[in-house]
Structure formats: C-alpha cells, structure tokens
Amino acid sequence: MSRTTKLAAVASAAVAATATATVALTASPALAVNTGSFTATLNGTMVIDAGVPASCTSSVLKGTVLSGGVNASYTSASAGGCGVTVTPGALPWSGTFSGTTVKINNFSMSAIGCTYGGTLTGTASATNFPFTATFTNQVVPKTSGSFICPASAKITAKYDYKQP
C-alpha cells in the first residue's frame, strides 16, 4: 500500500470515528424515565435512626419528572406511624433518575426538634416506571436543632414509584 493510500485510509477511519463519537454524544439519554407526575409509596417501614430509631409505617412522596426524563421535583411528602411526629420540610426537593440510580436532593425531615437533610441515593429495580427504589443506611447531617440532637441520622426506606 502506498504512503498516500495509507494516509487516506487513516484519515477516513478518523473521520468515521469522529462521526460516530458525535452521534453518541448528541443522542438523548437512553436511561431516562417517562416525564409527568409520579407517586412513591412506602413499601414496608422507613427507619430514621438519629441515635434512637423511629420506624414509620406510612409515607408518600409525590412529584413530577421534568422534560428529558432525568430530573424530578418532589412537591409533596408525608410520614406517619413513626411513634413521634416526623415532618418533611424544605419542599420542593429535587431529584434525578439515571439508569437504576434514584437520588433525592435537598431531602429534609424533622422530629423532636432535630432536622436532618441532604441527598438520599437509592437503587431502582427497573429503569422506568413502575419500579421500587431502595435507600439503605443513607447518612444525612443535622441541619438544625439543639446540642442534644446527634450530628447525623441514617435513613432506610423502600418506595414503590408509579405514574398515574
């Protein structure tokens, strides 16, 4: 093969690789969920452990998956049957869906004068609705409260996500 033919072959391969990379980078996310409203209902118990564990028997999260299917806004949250009053706060929370990873950002819950918040990262059973997201031993720092409040709390919960 002549030097000119070799250079042409290398240049052709480089152009093809660049075209392939451009297509891959501009394609929409393959792991996005359906846009629209969703409800996430507690499956089992939610344990909030800030030194003394509180086990909640009911919780519902509601929100919307924004256009693009990756970002979410959690606009409503409740927790009940905890033995103490647990109050979700600082709504709306943001979140993301990426493959089998579910994140709830700006999460915030208060009980007995202590508030804890941060990001919860869970694993989803599927890449689109309906799915179950499991959040295991997610550590969130204390965001407010007296000196008797522990510096952090662990959250463990499983939610069934669905769309209407």
Side-chain angles (χ1 to χ4, degrees):
M1 189 183 284
S2 73
R3 179 177 286 167
T4 304
T5 305
K6 287 180 185 176
L7 287 174
V10 168
S12 176
V15 168
T18 301
T20 301
T22 300
V23 169
L25 291 175
T26 57
S28 60
L31 300 174
V33 298
N34 296 331
T35 59
S37 62
F38 68 85
T39 300
T41 305
L42 184 65
N43 177 340
T45 58
M46 171 174 51
V47 177
I48 303 169
D49 188 349
V52 175
S55 295
C56 302
T57 58
S58 67
S59 177
V60 176
L61 309 175
K62 292 184 179 187
T64 303
V65 178
L66 307 174
S67 65
V70 175
N71 296 312
S73 175
Y74 290 80
T75 54
S76 169
S78 66
C82 306
V84 297
T85 301
V86 175
T87 307
L91 290 160
W93 303 333
S94 64
T96 58
F97 300 101
S98 178
T100 58
T101 300
V102 176
K103 286 191 178 184
I104 302 174
N105 305 311
N106 310 317
F107 166 86
S108 178
M109 292 248 181
S110 298
I112 316 172
C114 305
T115 302
Y116 296 91
T119 298
L120 303 180
T121 302
T123 303
S125 60
T127 58
N128 207 342
F129 295 104
F131 61 83
T132 299
T134 304
F135 302 91
T136 305
N137 292 324
Q138 297 295 295
V139 177
V140 290
K142 175 179 79 172
T143 57
S144 68
S146 71
F147 69 93
I148 62 168
C149 300
S152 64
K154 275 191 222 175
I155 311 293
T156 297
K158 188 184 291 189
Y159 284 90
D160 293 329
Y161 280 72
K162 66 177 185 163
Q163 288 185 308

